[in-house]
């Protein structure tokens, strides 16, 4: 029978893990079997750079933490070696990094994922992994907003370069007069003899 001190430590661990799950917007559960120390170090570095917390956990502890956090549906994948990656701000970071690593490794595999407190399928985890980063999405949106403004600015600059609105209007009138089609003479009707 475990001592009271060990039980208290386990309860604290479950409570911390439960709070972490509640606070995160995304969570990826992986089987880390077969990962080398060098690869694990590199993986943890990439995850830290994306503000993702990565932790190896016991299945029973994760099961109890999920129960306390109100997350159901992870029970079938809580076997073997298990690690979780959680993020409080980035929906795609953990999925993108772990999916990339899972494609390179034979044994390392994604088991499941949680998005906003709901368990998601492996297909949805894969779809999350394929989304661009937040910075790329913001750059695309800003580019879309800037395009019309930049076109307008180029048009205004073209008017200024031609000498102002009066010069552009005079130029337009001159072009209209020179391009007016000359009236063609009506073809003469032929008379039948």
């Amino acid at each position: 029978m475990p001592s009271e001190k060990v039980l208290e430590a386990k309860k604290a661990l479950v409570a911390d893990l439960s709070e972490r799950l509640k606070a995160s917007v995304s969570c990826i559960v992986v089987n880390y079997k077969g990962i080398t120390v060098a690869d694990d170090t590199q993986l943890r570095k990439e995850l830290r750079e994306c503000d993702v917390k990565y932790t190896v956990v016991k299945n029973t502890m994760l099961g109890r933490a999920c129960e306390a956090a109100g997350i159901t549906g992870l029970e079938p994948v809580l076997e073997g070696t298990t690690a979780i990656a959680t993020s409080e701000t980035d929906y795609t970071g953990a999925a993108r990094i772990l999916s990339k690593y899972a494609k390179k490794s034979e044994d390392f595999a994604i088991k499941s994922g949680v998005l906003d407190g709901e368990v998601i399928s492996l297909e949805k985890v894969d779809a999350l992994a394929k989304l661009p980063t937040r910075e790329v999405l913001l750059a695309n949106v800003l580019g879309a907003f800037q395009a019309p403004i930049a076109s307008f600015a180029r048009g205004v600059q073209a008017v200024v370069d031609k000498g102002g609105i009066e010069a552009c209007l005079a130029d337009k009138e001159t072009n209209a007069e020179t391009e007016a089609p000359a009236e063609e003479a009506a073809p003469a009707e032929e008379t039948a003899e």
Side-chain angles (χ1 to χ4, degrees):
M1 182 94 178
S3 71
E4 191 66 33
K5 189 175 183 179
V6 172
L7 286 176
E8 289 303 317
K10 288 182 178 183
K11 286 180 183 178
L13 178 68
V14 168
D16 289 344
L17 195 53
S18 173
E19 289 303 314
R20 184 171 147 195
L21 289 170
K22 287 178 187 176
S24 67
V25 294
S26 68
C27 171
I28 305 297
V29 181
V30 297
N31 175 1
Y32 66 90
K33 181 181 176 185
I35 191 170
T36 65
V37 172
D39 289 341
D40 185 54
T41 303
Q42 179 62 32
L43 180 64
R44 287 175 185 267
K45 180 180 180 266
E46 286 181 46
L47 290 168
R48 263 192 315 273
E49 289 171 357
C50 282
D51 199 26
V52 175
K53 295 178 183 175
Y54 180 78
T55 310
V56 172
V57 295
K58 288 189 171 191
N59 292 317
T60 54
M61 298 294 165
L62 182 56
R64 289 187 177 136
C66 286
E67 185 179 313
I71 299 171
T72 58
L74 280 181
E75 296 82 13
V77 299
L78 296 181
E79 56 186 32
T81 57
T82 303
I84 62 166
T86 59
S87 176
E88 294 181 6
T89 57
D90 190 358
Y91 283 89
T92 63
R96 187 176 48 259
I97 294 167
L98 294 170
S99 290
K100 181 179 75 172
Y101 188 79
K103 289 177 183 173
K104 294 189 308 186
S105 177
E106 292 177 15
D107 295 326
F108 188 91
I110 294 177
K111 293 181 176 184
S112 186
V114 178
L115 197 61
D116 288 330
E118 298 293 323
V119 176
I120 58 174
S121 65
L122 289 176
E123 291 80 23
K124 287 185 181 178
V125 172
D126 191 42
L128 272 178
K130 291 178 183 174
L131 287 175
T133 64
R134 181 176 189 267
E135 290 77 21
V136 170
L137 288 173
L138 288 174
N140 289 342
V141 168
L142 289 176
F145 283 136
Q146 282 183 327
I149 296 168
S151 295
F152 176 73
R154 283 192 294 274
V156 169
Q157 187 62 43
V159 169
V160 170
D161 290 345
K162 287 188 175 184
I165 293 176
E166 293 82 15
C168 287
L169 290 175
D171 188 39
K172 189 174 183 180
E173 288 174 5
T174 306
N175 287 340
E177 291 172 2
T178 58
E179 293 177 3
E183 291 185 28
E184 294 182 28
E189 294 182 20
E190 294 182 24
T191 55
E193 289 183 24

